[in-house]
Amino acid sequence: MQQQIEIKMKSGERKVVEFWESVLNYVMIYKAKRYLQQNYSSRIIEPRETQMIASEISRINSHKNDEELISEHGLRKPKYIFRVHTGFKWNKYNRNHYDNEHPPPKIVKGYSFVIYYPDFVGRTPQYSIENDRGGSESCLIRFHAGPRYEDVVFRIVNKEWDLSWKSGFRCMFVGGILRLNFFFKQFSYRR
């Protein structure tokens, strides 16, 4: 099949060259898999066995990662994802002085935190807001999960949160994962 496709491509009979090149790649991959199967596998592994092997490998890797997360104080460092939601504020002033090609400066509209506490046992992790020594424009948010885990601290913009569900506020702890999403209140100026 590979030889037939190559001959037809060289003769110019095949009009869509990209398609036939991808078919050739699939043929070569198939041939390589067959060669490896015939020459290097002593037995065929069933799909159930591959799932068990994959789960065992992921379990071993997670234990290795957990061992790496233990700090010098004997506390575990939780894994986290921290996302800043930014955007433009299109108020009357910005609409008059900026356009889509030259937008106004971006502002922080909110934050999302996802903190993973592996093998968590105990009370639900808590967060608290603390004043920042750097000034009143920023504050610190501290996530505390008890004596087994280190506290995680982030510096965020010091604005009033919109705590309504409609505007995206979420705070939940399920399956060892703490999720906190919030956006800031939008104040519109009116005369």
Side-chain angles (χ1 to χ4, degrees):
M1 184 175 180
Q2 181 181 1
Q3 291 173 351
Q4 290 174 351
I5 293 172
E6 287 175 350
I7 291 170
K8 299 243 183 198
M9 284 180 60
K10 287 178 183 173
S11 69
E13 288 183 35
R14 301 288 184 214
K15 300 290 183 194
V16 185
V17 177
E18 293 86 12
F19 171 76
W20 290 106
E21 285 176 349
S22 66
V23 170
L24 274 176
N25 286 337
Y26 283 121
V27 169
M28 290 170 44
I29 291 170
Y30 176 77
K31 284 172 56 178
K33 284 182 181 179
R34 288 291 293 193
Y35 176 80
L36 290 173
Q37 237 178 12
Q38 290 172 354
N39 295 324
Y40 294 103
S41 68
S42 59
R43 64 187 182 90
I44 298 174
I45 299 174
E46 296 296 322
R48 253 185 261 134
E49 290 179 56
T50 57
Q51 289 175 352
M52 289 176 18
I53 292 169
S55 65
E56 187 67 22
I57 290 171
S58 66
R59 189 177 64 77
I60 291 168
N61 286 339
S62 69
H63 284 301
K64 285 181 184 175
N65 291 341
D66 291 346
E67 289 170 4
E68 292 171 5
L69 288 175
I70 297 180
S71 69
E72 65 271 1
H73 304 296
L75 300 176
R76 298 178 89 177
K77 297 178 187 175
K79 297 178 183 178
Y80 59 85
I81 299 172
F82 169 60
R83 181 174 295 148
V84 180
H85 300 285
T86 59
F88 304 110
K89 191 169 187 177
W90 289 105
N91 56 20
K92 188 158 186 140
Y93 177 84
N94 287 346
R95 282 195 303 264
N96 287 334
H97 293 85
Y98 299 101
D99 59 10
N100 288 333
E101 292 176 10
H102 305 285
K106 280 191 173 185
I107 60 167
V108 176
K109 292 192 167 196
Y111 294 95
S112 291
F113 300 94
V114 179
I115 302 175
Y116 172 61
Y117 296 100
D119 304 326
F120 182 81
V121 178
R123 291 182 32 206
T124 304
Q126 304 289 319
Y127 68 89
S128 61
I129 306 297
E130 302 170 0
N131 290 331
D132 187 13
R133 293 186 205 117
S136 63
E137 290 187 11
S138 64
C139 62
L140 301 175
I141 183 167
R142 179 181 301 273
F143 294 92
H144 178 73
R148 291 181 59 198
Y149 293 94
E150 284 186 359
D151 288 358
V152 182
V153 181
F154 300 96
R155 178 173 281 118
I156 61 172
V157 177
N158 191 9
K159 290 184 181 177
E160 189 176 352
W161 297 8
D162 192 348
L163 299 177
S164 70
W165 185 264
K166 280 184 177 180
S167 63
F169 180 79
R170 306 282 187 278
C171 182
M172 59 186 86
F173 181 68
V174 178
I177 300 174
L178 174 67
R179 297 176 190 273
L180 174 65
N181 300 333
F182 62 89
F183 290 89
F184 298 121
K185 283 189 175 178
Q186 300 286 331
F187 295 106
S188 58
Y189 175 75
R190 295 188 189 250
R191 287 185 181 187

